[in-house]
Amino acid sequence: MRTIPYHLFLQYFAGLSSATGSFILGTVIGWTAQTEHSIKAGDLGYEVSDREMDWLSTIFTLGAASMCIPTGFIIDAIGRRFTMLLFVPFLLLGWLMIAFSVNTIMLYVARFLLGMSGGAFCIIAPLYTTEIAQTKIRGILGCFFQMLITMGILYSYIMGAVCTVFVMTLSCTFLPVISGILFLILPESPFYYVMKDKPEKARSALQWLRGKNYDINEEYQEVEANVREVKENPVSLLKGMKRRSSLRAFLNSICLMIFQQFSGINVIMFYATDVFKLAKTGLEPKVSTIVLGAVQVIATFAALFLIDRLGRRILLMLSSFVMSLSTLGLGIYFYIKDRDTDIAQRISWFPVLCCCLFILMFSLGMGAVPWLIMAETFAEDIKGPASSISATINWLSAFTITNAYGPIKNAIGVGQTFWIYSGFSITCTIFVFFFLPETHNKTFAEIQQSLDRKKK
């Protein structure tokens, strides 16, 4: 059996540990899918209306959006590792407030706090993993962020199906403690130390990440060269964004973030149980939701092996195209269901297939790659703020699309709503084909040249 080289094992460990905050974010995302009906039935000891439940499902996205931009400045001020540790108490407080809540106001505040921390980890985890990784495994480590989100979602689906809301929520309070312990073990990013003129600490961190017997001189010189180039040509954020490479990277990232959310992913994840209930599949809705979560985890795991083999563009085009077909199929099913329930009943397996296919392809490409592209393409002098703006737009898009789902569904129908999502996904396929450069197996300098459309 082939063993993983020790210097790669350490990078995998650091990447997975830094992404445990993403696992917690996944539990936040999936929390409402299995608990919605129990909460509305008074399982927490007080009544929650349909509209209040809609806000509970989405208010965390506003919390995430509110924290992304500040996080971009915090990570440059105190470092990646200490920023991760900073948000652990907020995660713990959020889950405890839900578990012992006495009214919906406490739930709103708790979900907002959890969203703030989740938004912060959307910035920290991708940046940290790409900064500590060697080029050949940068794609794999970049996928850890999305993989642990899907595992967190599945965890919440399973716990929500077999436990009361209180017990499920209480089980989530242990997760920040585990993350905090792992963050204490991790080294700081070598890039951060070099930016702060701390070469000895940078070497020590890089040596930790590669093992004590690994020769880090060549890698350290590359990190130093990248940072030196930025420092020798200092520019303001505004001037930095005027560079052709930075502007293209920023616009590409913004577009991918919008396409990711307007594909309808969070509608399916937040309201998965309701989607299956509406479809009348014959399966217990909570079981169908768990199946959906399991498919997502398996597909994201598969993406780890494909991301550094097929490249970013192919995965994005393949996933967005098939996602478009899946939401097109869901739209057709619900359109038929509104007009002929007998036919819909005979093909009740079809929406489950479409949902599973959608999640499968989202996890293979559109889930992880936009975050990886964000971390790979921004220059060091704009990476923090530019990444924060991209992530903010992602979460605001998530809030918009999930809150618009109910009104649009009521106005034009469920089927027609899914056709809108299908249109966004196919537009993404066209965008990637014409405008997005490949970053697979390229150094930072090569990526910047590609964005500048310059030849080596």
Side-chain angles (χ1 to χ4, degrees), residues 234-306:
V235 294
S236 65
L237 174 62
L238 184 60
K239 287 185 177 179
M241 290 299 294
K242 288 182 179 179
R243 288 193 303 257
R244 183 184 184 88
S245 58
S246 295
L247 186 59
R248 283 194 66 200
F250 185 68
L251 291 176
N252 287 341
S253 180
I254 293 297
C255 287
L256 288 177
M257 293 302 183
I258 292 173
F259 285 132
Q260 184 196 67
Q261 292 302 328
F262 277 71
S263 69
I265 176 61
N266 277 327
V267 169
I268 291 178
M269 299 313 300
F270 288 172
Y271 302 106
T273 303
D274 271 354
V275 168
F276 289 122
K277 189 175 181 180
L278 281 171
K280 296 183 179 178
T281 60
L283 290 174
E284 170 66 33
K286 288 190 174 184
V287 174
S288 299
T289 306
I290 291 173
V291 170
L292 200 65
V295 168
Q296 191 177 25
V297 171
I298 293 168
T300 310
F301 187 74
L304 297 179
F305 300 94
L306 296 175

Side-chain angles (χ1 to χ4, degrees), residues 254-415:
I254 293 297
C255 287
L256 288 177
M257 293 302 183
I258 292 173
F259 285 132
Q260 184 196 67
Q261 292 302 328
F262 277 71
S263 69
I265 176 61
N266 277 327
V267 169
I268 291 178
M269 299 313 300
F270 288 172
Y271 302 106
T273 303
D274 271 354
V275 168
F276 289 122
K277 189 175 181 180
L278 281 171
K280 296 183 179 178
T281 60
L283 290 174
E284 170 66 33
K286 288 190 174 184
V287 174
S288 299
T289 306
I290 291 173
V291 170
L292 200 65
V295 168
Q296 191 177 25
V297 171
I298 293 168
T300 310
F301 187 74
L304 297 179
F305 300 94
L306 296 175
I307 192 81
D308 281 329
R309 288 176 172 80
L310 298 181
R312 288 39 160 171
R313 292 179 78 250
I314 291 177
L315 282 181
L316 279 174
M317 287 188 289
L318 178 64
S319 66
S320 59
F321 179 72
V322 179
M323 284 163 60
S324 177
L325 296 179
S326 301
T327 42
L328 177 66
L330 277 171
I332 291 172
Y333 172 81
F334 284 112
Y335 184 82
I336 293 172
K337 180 177 175 291
D338 289 340
R339 286 154 180 79
D340 194 324
T341 54
D342 290 336
I343 294 177
Q345 189 63 38
R346 288 199 293 271
I347 58 169
S348 60
W349 51 269
F350 186 66
V352 176
L353 174 65
C354 288
C355 279
C356 289
L357 188 60
F358 179 91
I359 292 298
L360 174 72
M361 299 313 296
F362 177 86
S363 302
L364 280 176
M366 281 301 292
V369 176
W371 298 103
L372 179 59
I373 293 291
M374 178 190 78
E376 286 183 323
T377 57
F378 289 144
E380 285 297 323
D381 57 346
I382 67 163
K383 182 176 282 189
S387 299
S388 302
I389 294 170
S390 292
T392 300
I393 289 175
N394 181 283
W395 285 111
L396 289 177
S397 298
F399 176 78
T400 301
I401 203 70
T402 48
N403 272 275
Y405 169 68
I408 294 175
K409 174 188 71 175
N410 294 334
I412 65 174
V414 179

Side-chain angles (χ1 to χ4, degrees), residues 193-197 226-234:
Y193 278 139
V194 173
M195 287 290 291
K196 294 296 182 180
D197 295 317
N226 289 335
V227 174
R228 190 190 312 118
E229 185 178 348
V230 172
K231 286 191 170 185
E232 288 177 353
N233 301 282

Side-chain angles (χ1 to χ4, degrees), residues 55-68:
W55 273 101
L56 282 179
S57 297
T58 58
I59 197 171
F60 89 93
T61 60
L62 291 180
S66 73
M67 205 61 224
C68 289

Side-chain angles (χ1 to χ4, degrees), residues 74-121:
I74 294 171
I75 59 175
D76 287 339
I78 67 173
R80 284 61 165 148
R81 175 173 171 266
F82 281 114
T83 306
M84 286 188 271
L85 286 166
L86 177 66
F87 285 98
V88 169
F90 292 99
L91 291 169
L92 185 60
L93 177 62
W95 285 121
L96 286 173
M97 284 184 68
I98 291 177
F100 298 100
S101 62
V102 294
N103 53 47
T104 53
I105 299 299
M106 285 186 68
L107 287 180
Y108 289 153
V109 173
R111 292 280 288 172
F112 192 86
L113 282 175
L114 290 170
M116 286 173 57
S117 302
F121 279 104

